[in-house]
Amino acid sequence: DAGVIQSPRHEVTEMGQEVTLRCKPISGHDYLFWYRQTMMRGLELLIYFNNNVPIDDSGMPEDRFSAKMPNASFSTLKIQPSEPRDSAVYFCASSESGTIQYEQYFGPGTRLTVT
Amino acid sequence: QQPVQSPQAVILREGEDAVINCSSSKALYSVHWYRQKHGEAPVFLMILLKGGEQKGHDKISASFNEKKQQSSLYLTASQLSYSGTYFCGVNFGNEKLTFGTGTRLTIIP
């Protein structure tokens, strides 16, 4: 398998623009996680899905952030409008089953810069 | 609820040993360890389950003290390839991980 795939790998945008990040999980994995990593806050969970259904979005910073998973092989994280403080590396990860016992496989990440 | 890792950073010479600790104030069901190299994604190392045994592979092993809600990662005879930032991710009985602040490990020849 190709592993978790994310696109784009780098995104530079201006404040106020809409940004869409994409993720393809590993085939057969039931769980998908979106993380944000910054120097100040570390690696923080934004939202996760089980079988395409959002389960916990308590980590989503505010209404400007939204995530969808229309099918088992695709998910998006959208920021509208974007702000400079959204600059970070965004990772998508997937796991075969529940996190208590199963490892998470991380994608290569999308480095977002908002100017 | 974020677990505390110690030390924050450590520098070792090749061949030396290191211990990285991860502590939680809340009861844990499992602890995951990941290593992240600069500019790359975190890579899974191992999971320790509540009631499980100490785990290890090659010269990296870990333990989980359920009573103290602590886990330790042991790196023996460190190699240059061990350099990176190590994160513990803790599970409180739900389906998500809460990651610690990380420990930056630098191995010098």
Side-chain angles (χ1 to χ4, degrees):
Chain A
D1 201 314
V4 177
I5 299 172
Q6 289 187 247
S7 64
R9 294 292 308 276
H10 301 273
E11 177 80 35
V12 180
T13 190
E14 292 183 349
M15 183 174 64
Q17 296 298 306
E18 177 180 294
V19 175
T20 300
L21 312 181
R22 297 173 176 78
C23 174
K24 176 179 167 55
I26 293 173
S27 177
H29 282 194
D30 291 338
Y31 284 80
L32 184 139
F33 306 84
W34 281 101
Y35 291 92
R36 177 172 67 175
Q37 187 173 38
T38 61
M39 288 295 293
M40 292 296 294
R41 300 175 68 89
L43 192 59
E44 51 181 346
L45 178 67
L46 300 177
I47 184 171
Y48 77 94
F49 296 82
N50 178 24
N51 291 323
N52 313 336
V53 177
I55 303 300
D56 186 338
D57 65 355
S58 59
M60 296 286 261
E62 48 198 272
D63 291 345
R64 297 185 297 106
F65 286 69
S66 63
K68 294 182 180 179
M69 191 165 187
N71 57 62
S73 59
F74 184 65
S75 177
T76 60
L77 178 68
K78 186 174 293 186
I79 309 172
Q80 166 64 18
S82 58
E83 297 182 2
R85 59 190 168 129
D86 300 332
S87 296
V89 180
Y90 291 81
F91 289 104
C92 173
S94 70
S95 100
E96 182 180 342
S97 188
T99 297
I100 292 178
Q101 298 187 52
Y102 290 85
E103 65 196 86
Q104 294 183 14
Y105 294 83
F106 282 75
T110 295
R111 181 174 295 277
L112 174 65
T113 303
V114 183
T115 60
Chain B
Q1 293 186 356
Q2 184 177 35
V4 176
Q5 287 187 234
S6 62
Q8 289 184 321
V10 59
I11 300 174
L12 298 176
R13 291 197 177 276
E14 207 172 358
E16 292 183 334
D17 302 340
V19 180
I20 299 172
N21 299 303
C22 174
S23 297
S24 172
S25 57
K26 196 176 169 183
L28 302 176
Y29 280 69
S30 65
V31 179
H32 299 219
W33 285 97
Y34 288 78
R35 177 172 61 209
Q36 183 178 29
K37 293 188 179 287
H38 183 68
E40 299 180 7
V43 174
F44 171 78
L45 294 175
M46 64 188 74
I47 294 177
L48 297 105
L49 304 178
K50 187 176 179 180
E53 300 177 351
Q54 181 166 334
K55 286 202 170 183
H57 59 84
D58 196 11
K59 295 176 181 175
I60 300 176
S61 62
S63 63
F64 180 16
N65 186 324
E66 296 171 32
K67 290 184 179 179
K68 293 185 176 181
Q69 308 305 331
Q70 292 177 349
S71 178
S72 295
L73 186 71
Y74 307 93
L75 300 104
T76 305
S78 56
Q79 307 168 15
L80 293 175
S81 62
Y82 288 0
S83 291
T85 300
Y86 289 78
F87 292 95
C88 65
V90 299
N91 180 279
F92 299 119
N94 47 32
E95 301 298 343
K96 58 186 184 181
L97 292 178
T98 302
F99 283 92
T101 50
T103 296
R104 178 172 292 182
L105 177 64
T106 303
I107 310 295
I108 56 178

